[in-house]
Structure formats: C-alpha cells, structure tokens
Amino acid sequence: MQGVEREDRELLDAQALVGHLVPEGGMFAFLAAHRHDVFSDEEFEDLFPSGRGRPSIPASVMASILVLQTLHDLSDRETAEAARCDLRWKVATGMALDHKGFDPSTLVYWRKRLAKSTRPHRINDAVRRVVEETGILRGRRQRAVDSTILADAVATQDTITQLISAIRRVGRVVPGAAEQIAAVCTGHDYDVPGKPVIDWDEPGAKETLVSALVNDANALLEAYSGVDDDEWDEPARAALALLALVAGQDVEPAEGSDGTDGRWRIARRVAPDRVISTVDPEARHTRKSPEARRDGYRAHVAAEPETGIITDEALTKATGTENSDPGVAEKFLAADAEAGADGAGAREWYGDSAYGTGYLRGAMHDAGHDAVIKPKPLHAAVEGGFTVDDFTVDEPAGTVTCPAGNTRPITKARHVIFGALCRDCPLSARCTTSKSGRTLDLHERDALLRRARADWAAKPELREKYRQNRPNVERVVSHIASRGGRRLKLRYRGTEKNHAWLTRRTAGLNLRTLVGRGLVRTAGIWALTPQTT
C-alpha cells in the first residue's frame, strides 16, 4: 500500500534539529519545505492500487530522492547511503536523524512501478506544472534546440565477443536451446567463460575462429527456422533476432569464397546501424563531428534560451533518420503546437546548421514559426566554382537556368540534368568535373532553403539574434551532460530506461532553475519573487 507522510514530527526530526544548517535558496531547503506541494501523494496513488500490505516510502519523499539522485548523478547504493548519512538529504526528505534509510533495491522497485504505469514521467510532469503556474515562460517566443551524445553503460564489444555472447543468450532464454547448441554448435565450447584461446597474432587463426562462430550461429538459427514460436516470450524471440543480426552485420565471405563454403571474415566496413553490444542492443556508434566518434545514445533538448527552462527532451538511439537532430526537433515542434504552450502563437526556433534541413524548415514555415537556423554551407562541385545558388530556379515554370544561360526542366524526381549542354560550355571548368555534365538534385523545399541562405547573408540582424540566443542552449546541454566538470555516463540499458532518467534530470534542472529565481508558494499558488522575474 502507499505510504504517506505524517503531519506530526518525530522526536529526532532532522529539519527541526539541524534544518538551520541547510542553506536557504537551495534544492535541499526547497524540498524540505515543499516536496509534498510539488509531488503530492494523490499523483502516485495508482502505483499502489491494492491498498494492502506494508506501507511504501511516501511518494513525495521518493520523488524527491529520485530527483536528487539524478541531479547529483549517484548510483542506487550511493543514493541510499546519502539518505542514511547526509544531513542535507535527511532534511530535504523529512527523515529523522536516526532513520536507517532504505535498501538500494527500493529505487529499482519504484522505477519499475513508474515505468509500467500509464504516466511513467509524472515526476517531470509535476515540475512542468510548477513551471507553467509561475508564468516564467509566458510571452516568451524563443525556443532553442540542441543535442549531445551520452556514453552508454556497457562496454563496446568486438565481433567475436558479440557472436559468443549472442549464442549464449539464446541458450539461456530460448526453450530447448541449450540442447540444440550442444548438438549443432561445434566451433567453440560456449560453457567456457571468456574468449577462445587462440594465437591472436596469427591472421589465419582469427579468420578460422570467425568462420566457426558464424557457422555455429547459422546452424543454430537454422535449427529454429521452422519452429512455431508463438508460445515463446519476448526475450526468447528477441534473443534469436539479435543472434541473426550480429551473425550478419560484421562479417562477409572470405577472400575467394562465394558465401556457401562456410569461410567468413570480419567485414572491411562498418554496418550503418551496427549493434555495438549484445548487453545493450540499442546503443550505437555515432559521430558528433567527423573527427570524434562516440558510442551511446543521443539526448535532445528544447529550451527557452533566456531563462534556461527546458521545455522538451528526448533520449533516442544515436543513429537513424527519425533520431536525427532535425527529426526529433520536428517532434518537439508538433508537441509544442499540441500543448498550445502559453498561447504564444508563432515562435522563433534557434538551431545550428544540423537543424537546417528543408523538411524541418518546411514544418516550421507551415506552422507559422520563424526558423532562426544557421544554414548548411554549400559545397561547389569544383573548388571555387558554382554552387546551386548560382542556378536560377523557376518553380512555376518547372525549369532551372545555369550560369551560362542554359535552361533545363525539373524532372518529377526533382533532378535537373544539363548533360550534353556542358560539353562545349565555356564555364564547365568552374561548374563540374563529370564527363556526363552537371546534374542538380533539388529539395522539395528548395525555395525555403534558398531564402534562408539569402536572408542569412543579407540580414546582419538575423545573425545577431542567433548569436545572442543560440549559445544559451549549449549551457543547458552542458548541465544535462555533465556535473562538476565531469562528463556523465548513462547508468541504464535501453532507450526507455535512459529516457526516463533524462526526464528526471530535466525535471531536477528546471526545479533548480526556478528555486534559483526565487520560487515561492503563496496561498497555494507557485510564483517567482518579483525581483527575479
């Protein structure tokens, strides 16, 4: 059953005895006074529907602990120790000085209850209601978007480790698989922990091992190819699917092989959506820049640049079009419109050149918003030569005219092929190196992209607005991704759990921002003190 906070204080109540030691104006002092106002027991009643059994830790206390945990980037064990030994935590959560705290597994229990509920992100929702009631965002039209890569909680695995791990997982979770592995998998003893013992400096030995493991994986998959898996649970089906994936993503037929003789080698390329660990199959390789490759997940954020209040967040896989910066920004745009946020109408959306796609600009334009987004740089086919902006596009006529005055039609696929016209053109050396002539691929929102590039070049006030507002979101991202100068590393596996962590962290950061601006509760209403608004 759900526990509730007692109105009467205990004899050794921490707030009564040492509350004066906790500085005013901070998160600990705020939660000591207002945790039940932000996280009311009624908001968590559905987590304990039976009303029977031993009372849980009160919801207001546990919600406060989860927020403090993410703000301070503590493990479950460190969090339980802080609640037991740190006077600030005892004051913030209403515990007595001699309270022994709780077992770290209690945090896992609460996170699971929240994840399975109809409102898994209710802690974040509670803080958003406080933000809305203060009116701090009222009339503020700007929103800035950005993202960062957060390292995953597991080690990146090589191909051999992944194959062995995937076969072992099938043996653990698929009914009857242990017997099948013993019968059809002869390349390695999968009961022996660790990597196989071979001469790793000998290329032939490594290739022989890869072939044996791939053949074992294929044999195991073949053994289950005709089996009806309707009665299997999701982990069993997922284990076979993962085995099929890792058996194909990193290998290719060996030199001189057609793929049918059982000889394989590690592929001389990286799969575009490569699984990097069987322990966390949703973690990915990615690049924040051409020079810096990172492994993990991508955290996206939208924030009001002047106040630093986070208005939306999402944690996604690090690869995939739907998980890209402009792809997630479109979802933020749609969510903002659906919420009818503050009745603000048209907004100004700020983003760097990664967000300068035609589709995102089109979505903003169609919604009546202004895109203050740095355009993507144009690259000429010939160094110092003509770019696409040197070609004149006539959309009503469906034609494009090149710098030499030649006009060609726009095809249904929005290609423009100049072909033989380039052969004797005196400007061809500045236009193309292709023997078949210049070809343009026009985006369906080409007019918006051209206008954005022209406005960026011709309007210094646009660049000034960008300079003033866009960098502020980088500070917000820094608060999300680091603490005390140390880059954070995710503590959970999978997109769902890590997204839940991100919502709790943004809730804590928003609440901390409001507290720093003088958040008070007067006559049951949240407000900011006048001198800080």
Side-chain angles (χ1 to χ4, degrees), residues 137 140 143 335-345 347:
L137 298 179
R140 298 184 186 274
R143 294 291 183 270
D336 185 81
E338 184 178 349
D342 303 319
R347 295 203 186 282

Side-chain angles (χ1 to χ4, degrees), residues 156-442:
T156 300
Q157 296 174 327
D158 59 36
T159 303
I160 290 172
T161 301
Q162 286 204 56
L163 285 166
I164 294 174
S165 177
I167 291 174
R168 286 173 175 161
R169 174 177 290 190
V170 170
R172 289 194 304 270
V173 303
V174 176
E179 292 77 11
Q180 287 285 5
I181 291 173
V184 304
C185 297
T186 59
H188 176 62
D189 185 351
Y190 296 96
D191 293 328
V192 177
K195 277 189 174 183
V197 179
I198 65 169
D199 183 358
W200 293 99
D201 295 326
E202 172 57 44
K206 185 175 181 180
E207 196 162 294
T208 299
L209 175 61
V210 170
S211 296
L213 295 177
V214 173
N215 290 331
D216 280 356
N218 290 335
L220 185 57
L221 291 168
E222 179 64 25
Y224 281 97
S225 61
V227 176
D228 184 6
D229 62 357
D230 289 343
E231 295 184 3
W232 290 354
D233 57 13
E234 180 57 30
R237 291 192 289 269
L240 284 170
L242 182 62
L243 176 59
L245 179 60
V246 299
Q249 69 173 0
D250 290 341
V251 298
E252 62 186 10
E255 187 174 355
S257 171
D258 60 358
T260 61
D261 59 359
R263 293 190 298 120
W264 303 91
R265 68 179 183 185
I266 296 176
R268 272 54 170 173
R269 44 91 181 135
V270 177
D273 194 35
R274 181 179 184 267
V275 171
I276 63 174
S277 171
T278 57
V279 179
D280 186 356
E282 294 185 327
R284 292 291 185 272
H285 290 311
T286 189
R287 293 183 183 273
K288 187 63 178 174
S289 68
E291 298 79 20
R293 195 189 80 174
R294 304 277 296 280
D295 294 340
Y297 293 84
R298 188 177 294 270
H300 307 261
V301 64
E304 199 287 315
E306 185 176 346
T307 62
I309 292 293
I310 300 164
T311 59
D312 212 340
E313 68 285 303
L315 189 135
T316 68
K317 292 182 182 179
T319 58
T321 303
E322 69 280 9
N323 303 321
S324 66
D325 288 346
V328 175
E330 281 196 57
K331 297 174 184 176
F332 288 166
L333 184 72
D336 185 81
E338 184 178 349
D342 303 319
R347 295 203 186 282
E348 292 177 349
W349 288 83
Y350 292 81
D352 60 23
S353 59
Y355 294 89
T357 64
Y359 292 119
L360 180 56
R361 288 185 184 275
M364 291 179 178
H365 176 271
D366 295 345
H369 299 310
D370 298 325
V372 189
I373 297 175
K374 185 177 182 179
K376 291 187 175 183
L378 289 178
H379 299 287
V382 177
E383 185 176 357
F386 299 120
T387 69
V388 67
D389 281 352
D390 294 309
F391 291 73
T392 303
V393 178
D394 187 342
E395 291 286 358
T399 62
V400 174
T401 302
C402 76
N406 297 312
T407 300
R408 295 293 295 159
I410 303 173
T411 68
K412 289 184 178 181
R414 295 191 64 77
H415 302 313
V416 184
I417 305 170
F418 287 91
L421 292 174
C422 299
R423 195 171 301 152
D424 301 318
C425 177
L427 301 179
S428 62
R430 297 174 56 195
C431 191
T432 183
T433 58
S434 173
K435 294 181 180 180
S436 58
R438 183 70 180 262
T439 299
L440 300 182
D441 298 320
L442 297 183

Side-chain angles (χ1 to χ4, degrees), residues 9-80:
R9 295 179 182 272
E10 296 187 36
L11 180 62
L12 296 179
D13 179 75
Q15 185 176 4
L17 295 175
V18 296
H20 61 284
L21 299 178
V22 178
E24 291 292 330
M27 277 290 289
F28 291 107
F30 173 83
L31 289 173
H34 298 295
R35 61 183 176 274
H36 25 63
D37 296 322
V38 180
F39 310 114
S40 65
D41 291 325
E42 293 77 14
E43 287 295 316
F44 295 82
E45 285 179 339
D46 60 296
L47 299 182
F48 302 91
S50 70
R52 298 191 301 272
R54 183 197 232 163
S56 71
I57 294 177
S60 57
V61 173
M62 184 50 65
S64 300
I65 288 172
L66 289 171
V67 167
L68 290 173
Q69 178 186 26
T70 55
L71 271 180
H72 291 263
D73 188 38
L74 301 181
S75 68
D76 289 348
R77 187 169 297 279
E78 290 168 335
T79 301

